[in-house]
Amino acid sequence: MTKEHLIDVQPIRSLEKLNDMKWSLKRHCSERDYILFLLGINTGLRVSDILSLKVKDIKGKMKVIVKEGKTKKPRTIQINNVFNELAAYIDTVNSEWLFPSRKGDKAISKIQAYRQLNKAAAMVDIESVGTHTMRKTFGYWFYKQTKDVAKLQMILNHSHPSITLKYIGIIDEEIEEDLNNFVL
């Protein structure tokens, strides 16, 4: 069991904190780690699926079909919203892997991704961060912008809307809001 399973990993619910995290990744980690985070929060892919991407899978494309490792289902992801930053990053990559490790010809590990995300988060006082933070943050903001839990459930491949809402922390947040506003 990883450390991530021991803490309750949360989405980043504040745009200010989200921007702090992006800044911290660029400043204290690397462009690779920043682009990993950017791709994660804009696609909702699991970290294992992101780390399995190769440059040829992404280069020059606005949308990509990814076969998800956990569900084995194909999923089309739109990357037009991060296309320019992704393209500039790809021009600097000297590997077949989109997120290459400095140790040998392979992608970075999930553990290394976790370490870098936590390092960046610690620098800007963001707690409860793990690799699932990216996927949960995508889900949280997608739901906040669209209020379409059914669509989000399909995107995240969840079996029930209640699982999706709990996953992105909406149920807990709404209960807390309701209790704060509750008066008899």
Side-chain angles (χ1 to χ4, degrees):
M1 185 178 290
T2 65
K3 271 194 225 171
E4 189 164 351
H5 289 105
L6 302 175
I7 60 168
D8 184 21
V9 176
Q10 294 294 314
I12 299 173
R13 294 181 174 90
S14 143
L15 283 178
E16 183 184 353
K17 289 284 187 190
L18 202 52
N19 287 327
D20 288 350
M21 184 68 174
K22 290 177 186 177
W23 174 85
S24 185
L25 282 160
K26 278 187 161 186
R27 173 84 169 77
H28 299 292
C29 298
S30 68
E31 188 70 9
R32 176 198 70 193
D33 303 324
Y34 165 73
I35 294 294
L36 171 74
F37 182 74
L38 204 60
L39 202 56
I41 64 171
N42 280 283
T43 64
L45 286 172
R46 289 177 183 86
V47 73
S48 53
D49 294 328
I50 294 171
L51 295 178
S52 70
L53 291 170
K54 295 186 175 182
V55 170
K56 67 177 183 185
D57 299 329
I58 298 282
K59 192 170 186 170
K61 297 175 182 171
M62 293 283 188
K63 67 179 180 180
V64 179
I65 297 173
V66 176
K67 185 177 177 188
E68 292 186 321
K70 185 175 179 182
T71 63
K72 305 293 183 226
K73 294 178 183 173
R75 180 161 152 227
T76 302
I77 58 165
Q78 302 291 333
I79 53 174
N80 50 316
N81 50 349
V82 292
F83 181 81
N84 292 338
E85 284 183 281
L86 204 47
Y89 165 73
I90 285 171
D91 288 343
T92 69
V93 175
N94 191 14
S95 170
E96 68 175 317
W97 297 100
L98 189 59
F99 300 105
S101 169
R102 291 185 197 100
K103 299 174 185 163
D105 187 27
K106 59 184 191 265
I108 63 169
S109 66
K110 287 194 285 188
I111 299 290
Q112 183 61 15
Y114 174 85
R115 283 188 194 121
Q116 295 303 94
L117 290 171
N118 265 276
K119 176 182 171 183
M123 297 291 186
V124 289
D125 294 324
I126 300 174
E127 295 178 1
S128 303
V129 169
T131 54
H132 266 286
T133 297
M134 298 181 292
R135 184 170 162 87
K136 288 183 175 193
T137 299
F138 165 82
Y140 177 83
W141 286 101
F142 183 91
Y143 178 76
K144 282 292 194 188
Q145 289 177 22
T146 66
K147 296 294 188 218
D148 192 336
V149 71
K151 205 175 280 176
L152 181 58
Q153 174 193 344
M154 287 174 61
I155 292 168
L156 297 178
N157 265 319
H158 288 160
S159 59
H160 196 274
S162 63
I163 293 170
T164 302
L165 291 173
K166 184 154 181 57
Y167 182 76
I168 62 174
I170 291 293
I171 291 174
D172 296 339
E173 184 178 88
E174 288 179 351
I175 288 171
E176 189 175 325
E177 279 176 25
D178 291 345
L179 288 173
N180 284 339
N181 296 324
F182 183 77
V183 179
L184 283 176

